[in-house]
């Protein structure tokens, strides 16, 4: 069985639970000071914490830097690579 993630690179670097660097971002679903929901090359990703701020994001490279008090980094469904349609959200 072949790995579905072959050829896809993603790095997550967390420094002192205050600074998070992520590569492989394809889209940002939503963000506020408590949670940032992203889509990556490897699926959904949620960053939870307090006083979260997106310091930088590059659309060209898919890199993002987040600062704040980071409590959790959680991957969601690996098959969902982009935002859902309005109808898709109803049946989620």
């Amino acid at each position: 069985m072949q790995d579905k993630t072959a050829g896809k690179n993603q790095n997550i670097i967390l420094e002192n639970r205050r600074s998070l660097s992520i590569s492989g971002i394809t889209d940002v679903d939503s963000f506020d000071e408590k949670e940032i929901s992203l889509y990556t090359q490897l699926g959904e990703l949620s960053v939870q914490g307090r006083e979260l701020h997106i310091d930088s994001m590059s659309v060209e490279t898919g890199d993002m830097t987040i600062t704040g008090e980071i409590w959790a980094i959680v991957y969601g469904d690996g098959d969902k690579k982009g935002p859902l349609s309005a109808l898709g959200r109803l049946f989620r």
Side-chain angles (χ1 to χ4, degrees):
M1 183 155 110
Q2 288 186 340
D3 186 9
K4 291 181 181 181
T5 61
K8 297 178 184 177
N9 292 320
Q10 181 175 33
N11 294 309
I12 298 178
I13 301 169
L14 178 61
E15 299 176 36
N16 299 321
R17 294 184 67 181
R18 300 290 305 171
S19 178
L20 180 67
S21 299
I22 307 171
S23 65
I25 303 295
T26 58
D27 196 11
V28 177
D29 184 34
S30 64
F31 60 93
D32 59 28
E33 290 189 349
K34 294 182 180 181
E35 182 173 13
I36 300 173
S37 297
L38 311 165
Y39 292 100
T40 73
Q41 295 173 345
L42 301 178
E44 294 176 293
L45 181 69
S46 176
V47 179
Q48 301 166 355
R50 184 171 60 185
E51 298 177 8
L52 298 177
H53 299 279
I54 297 174
D55 285 348
S56 65
M57 180 175 174
S58 172
V59 177
E60 293 83 27
T61 63
D63 296 337
M64 177 182 281
T65 304
I66 299 170
T67 57
E69 189 175 326
I70 298 165
W71 297 341
I73 303 168
V74 181
Y75 274 101
D77 189 352
D79 292 333
K80 295 182 182 171
K81 303 290 192 285
L84 296 172
S85 65
L87 185 59
R89 288 181 190 260
L90 288 174
F91 295 103
R92 190 171 193 193

